[in-house]
Amino acid sequence: MRKEDKAQEINEIAEILSNYNTVYVADLTGMTVESTNSLRRNCFRKGVKVRMVKNTFLKKAMERLDADYSEMYVALHGNSAIMVSETGNLPARIIKEFRGKAAIPAVKAAFIDQSVYVGDDQIEVLANLKSREELIGEIVGLLQSPARNVISALQSGGGKLAGIVKTLSEREEK
């Protein structure tokens, strides 16, 4: 590979990394072509980009960026593929769902919103992380809950109060 081609490859990887705040480094070693293509199709359908990379190129691309990827360098060995996404837990969920009982694909490391997770033993933690949208939804739901309770109590109390007034007015007439 010529020096210009290497520089171009590093620039492309750096551009991909700079556009996403979620980066997974996965090990696809041992997967058949058919299963690799199936994983790629599944990722494409769910909006996750997958790209095979050379570890040296990935490290050089990471070094060029402002984010601190240095904790991930220990995972850069063997075959590596990067998976990038807008949602932090989506690549982990795809990997977990895809592999079922097998050990591949495996998560080498993950970089999510300035946090680094190293090792495949982190797959459960990564898959259960809540996305930004899920957290906002939960907060909105928690904030709306007391207001709903107050409105519900006022509406039910108003009906009871009206019933009591009506009953008392009917008693006075008799």
Side-chain angles (χ1 to χ4, degrees), residues 77 81 120:
H77 55 82
D120 193 55

Side-chain angles (χ1 to χ4, degrees), residues 75-95:
L76 300 181
H77 55 82
N79 292 335
S80 296
I82 56 171
M83 300 174 79
V84 292
S85 171
E86 296 290 334
T87 308
N89 61 1
L90 190 56
R93 287 182 178 179
I94 290 171
I95 290 172

Side-chain angles (χ1 to χ4, degrees), residues 33-51:
V33 172
E34 183 181 329
S35 62
T36 303
N37 288 338
S38 177
L39 176 66
R40 286 177 181 267
R41 276 192 297 275
N42 195 12
C43 288
F44 179 76
R45 277 189 225 115
K46 295 183 179 182
V48 175
K49 292 185 180 183
V50 180
R51 180 173 177 160

Side-chain angles (χ1 to χ4, degrees), residues 43-101:
C43 288
F44 179 76
R45 277 189 225 115
K46 295 183 179 182
V48 175
K49 292 185 180 183
V50 180
R51 180 173 177 160
M52 295 301 291
V53 294
K54 289 189 170 218
N55 292 318
T56 54
F57 293 170
L58 179 58
K59 184 176 179 182
K60 287 180 181 182
M62 288 176 165
E63 288 171 348
R64 290 184 181 183
L65 301 174
D66 293 335
D68 183 19
Y69 292 100
S70 61
E71 292 179 49
M72 294 178 71
Y73 296 163
V74 297
L76 300 181
H77 55 82
N79 292 335
S80 296
I82 56 171
M83 300 174 79
V84 292
S85 171
E86 296 290 334
T87 308
N89 61 1
L90 190 56
R93 287 182 178 179
I94 290 171
I95 290 172
K96 188 176 172 188
E97 172 189 312
F98 185 81
R99 72 181 182 187
K101 296 178 183 175

Side-chain angles (χ1 to χ4, degrees), residues 1-173:
M1 191 177 243
R2 293 184 342 215
K3 196 171 190 174
E4 298 83 25
D5 295 337
K6 290 179 183 179
Q8 182 181 355
E9 182 74 18
I10 293 168
N11 289 337
E12 288 175 10
I13 295 169
E15 185 176 337
I16 291 169
L17 296 178
S18 67
N19 290 333
Y20 293 93
N21 59 355
T22 299
V23 178
Y24 281 67
V25 178
D27 184 5
L28 307 182
T29 304
M31 290 180 65
T32 64
V33 172
E34 183 181 329
S35 62
T36 303
N37 288 338
S38 177
L39 176 66
R40 286 177 181 267
R41 276 192 297 275
N42 195 12
C43 288
F44 179 76
R45 277 189 225 115
K46 295 183 179 182
V48 175
K49 292 185 180 183
V50 180
R51 180 173 177 160
M52 295 301 291
V53 294
K54 289 189 170 218
N55 292 318
T56 54
F57 293 170
L58 179 58
K59 184 176 179 182
K60 287 180 181 182
M62 288 176 165
E63 288 171 348
R64 290 184 181 183
L65 301 174
D66 293 335
D68 183 19
Y69 292 100
S70 61
E71 292 179 49
M72 294 178 71
Y73 296 163
V74 297
L76 300 181
H77 55 82
N79 292 335
S80 296
I82 56 171
M83 300 174 79
V84 292
S85 171
E86 296 290 334
T87 308
N89 61 1
L90 190 56
R93 287 182 178 179
I94 290 171
I95 290 172
K96 188 176 172 188
E97 172 189 312
F98 185 81
R99 72 181 182 187
K101 296 178 183 175
I104 51 174
V107 175
K108 290 181 172 185
F111 179 86
I112 303 169
D113 293 325
Q114 306 298 323
S115 298
V116 176
Y117 303 86
V118 177
D120 193 55
D121 58 332
Q122 300 290 320
I123 190 82
E124 287 297 324
V125 172
L126 293 168
N128 292 325
L129 282 177
K130 297 207 184 272
S131 69
R132 183 175 183 263
E133 291 76 21
E134 290 171 330
L135 289 173
I136 290 172
E138 282 185 13
I139 291 171
V140 168
L142 289 171
L143 291 173
Q144 287 179 343
S145 181
R148 282 190 201 138
N149 291 342
V150 169
I151 291 170
S152 176
L154 289 174
Q155 287 175 341
S156 67
K160 287 180 186 177
L161 188 57
I164 293 171
V165 170
K166 183 177 180 185
T167 305
L168 289 175
S169 66
E170 288 174 0
R171 279 190 184 171
E172 290 176 5
E173 293 175 4

